[in-house]
Amino acid sequence: DRTRRFERIACIGDSVTRGDSKHEPRKFQERSKFGRGNYPKVLAKKLPGGPKTFNGGMSGKKILTDEHAERGSGNQYITQNNDNGRGYLEAIKFDPDAVVVMLGVNDGKGLKNFPKSDFAKDYRRALEDFQAKMPSLKAVFVVVQFPIINDDNDVEVKMVNDQIIPAIRKAYDSIKNFKGLDVYLIDLEDPWMAKTGCVENAKVEAQTPDCVSYYRSAGDGIHTSEKGAAFLAELVAAGIEAAQRDLTTYSPTYRPTARPTSRARADVDTAGRGGAAE
């Protein structure tokens, strides 16, 4: 068996990754968040070999530098410390051999036109920072955010779904040949929509109860429920497993089992790989 197993996987992200906060030291836990799912906690159970996972989610954090921020300045992920006792510094100490990055949902706050090119540049800066500070790092998984179904705290449905999700794909295209790291794409949008039955770019009032059940609540529409976190972990695990099988043989895509969907593309790529540049 030539399959390589990642042993320490750090999940980098915002409040969607942070989830219920129950993994944090007690003084940082927030009871108001306890209804959210926690996908990094579930992820370890979805992967064979018993890897350790670390939840490095920090609420409100983003990829873009502050020069683009009309609201929420001072929240670029790689410039932050441990505002919840489990943030970036602790992720660095964890010394992961793989990092899963799901950031972007906060990057459009206060913006009308999303700066895709700058987002891609700042995504590259994030990878450079990971590489410089995490000596065992071998692979980075760029996760395309699943669609949201409600506006909340300056996070807007159309900004995330129409501008930020495509920007994450564009950022991946610019970093997939990152020197010294294997960089993979895990695209959640189509399998998430197919499984949940959510209607594209419709707010919560137009969604079915089954769709809403994957989110924390109808009033949230951004963070996952435990059910949603379990499915999110399943998709991320599938992407990691595909990459682990592919560390010695190049294969550009992983295709999940097709599920019924109202969208045009049902059998879509969930994980793509870019080989490291020579």
Side-chain angles (χ1 to χ4, degrees):
D1 182 5
R2 299 185 68 187
T3 301
R4 173 181 166 181
R5 300 293 180 194
F6 297 115
E7 297 178 354
R8 297 179 310 284
I9 302 170
C11 299
I12 299 298
D14 46 44
S15 57
V16 178
T17 295
R18 184 189 179 202
D20 59 21
S21 79
K22 293 179 182 179
H23 59 284
E24 298 169 5
R26 185 175 296 275
K27 67 179 180 178
F28 294 110
Q29 294 180 14
E30 298 180 63
R31 295 190 64 85
S32 62
K33 308 292 192 294
F34 283 5
R36 297 176 180 175
N38 188 323
Y39 98 83
K41 179 173 63 178
V42 182
L43 180 62
K45 301 174 184 178
K46 298 283 187 180
L47 289 166
K52 294 180 180 179
T53 59
F54 177 84
N55 187 330
M58 293 192 292
S59 298
K61 301 305 179 279
K62 53 187 184 167
I63 287 289
L64 284 169
T65 59
D66 289 347
E67 64 186 280
H68 298 289
E70 295 182 24
R71 301 187 183 94
S73 61
N75 279 330
Q76 188 185 29
Y77 188 93
I78 61 173
T79 65
Q80 301 304 299
N81 295 319
N82 289 16
D83 63 356
N84 56 354
R86 293 280 290 181
Y88 189 33
L89 291 182
E90 292 300 317
I92 292 168
K93 293 176 184 177
F94 182 66
D95 191 23
D97 51 6
V99 165
V100 178
V101 186
M102 189 166 67
L103 284 163
V105 72
N106 293 303
D107 283 271
K109 288 184 176 181
L111 301 178
K112 294 182 179 179
N113 296 306
F114 193 72
K116 291 183 179 180
S117 295
D118 290 331
F119 184 79
K121 292 175 184 177
D122 288 341
Y123 220 117
R124 176 173 289 277
R125 291 192 186 104
L127 262 64
E128 291 170 349
D129 208 67
F130 299 159
Q131 188 178 48
K133 296 175 180 177
M134 299 173 175
S136 298
L137 186 63
K138 300 295 187 296
V140 173
F141 294 85
V142 175
V143 178
V144 176
Q145 168 75 36
F146 56 83
I148 66 172
I149 60 171
N150 209 11
D151 299 336
D152 184 57
N153 193 28
D154 293 325
V155 176
E156 299 178 352
V157 168
K158 289 192 71 63
M159 170 59 74
V160 172
N161 296 354
D162 288 351
Q163 296 194 55
I164 294 176
I165 286 177
I168 299 171
R169 295 189 184 105
K170 180 178 179 180
Y172 168 75
D173 286 339
S174 74
I175 59 177
K176 61 185 178 182
N177 294 318
F178 193 92
K179 189 173 182 179
L181 291 175
D182 289 323
V183 184
Y184 301 86
L185 184 73
I186 301 178
D187 197 331
L188 302 179
E189 183 180 15
D190 287 295
W192 181 272
M193 298 296 280
K195 176 73 170 182
T196 64
C198 294
V199 178
E200 187 172 13
N201 270 345
K203 293 187 179 180
V204 65
E205 298 83 5
Q207 304 290 357
T208 66
D210 191 47
C211 164
V212 175
S213 71
Y214 286 85
Y215 299 84
R216 181 192 180 190
S217 67
D220 188 323
I222 296 173
H223 304 92
T224 64
S225 62
E226 291 187 4
K227 178 181 178 180
F231 182 52
L232 172 55
E234 178 183 324
L235 293 176
V236 172
I240 293 173
E241 276 290 278
Q244 289 181 142
R245 291 194 300 270
D246 184 40
L247 285 171
T248 56
T249 305
Y250 178 79
S251 178
T253 60
Y254 164 78
R255 294 184 181 274
T257 302
R259 298 183 177 90
T261 177
S262 59
R263 304 196 66 199
R265 293 182 297 148
D267 185 15
V268 296
D269 297 344
T270 295
R273 180 199 178 190
E278 297 298 329

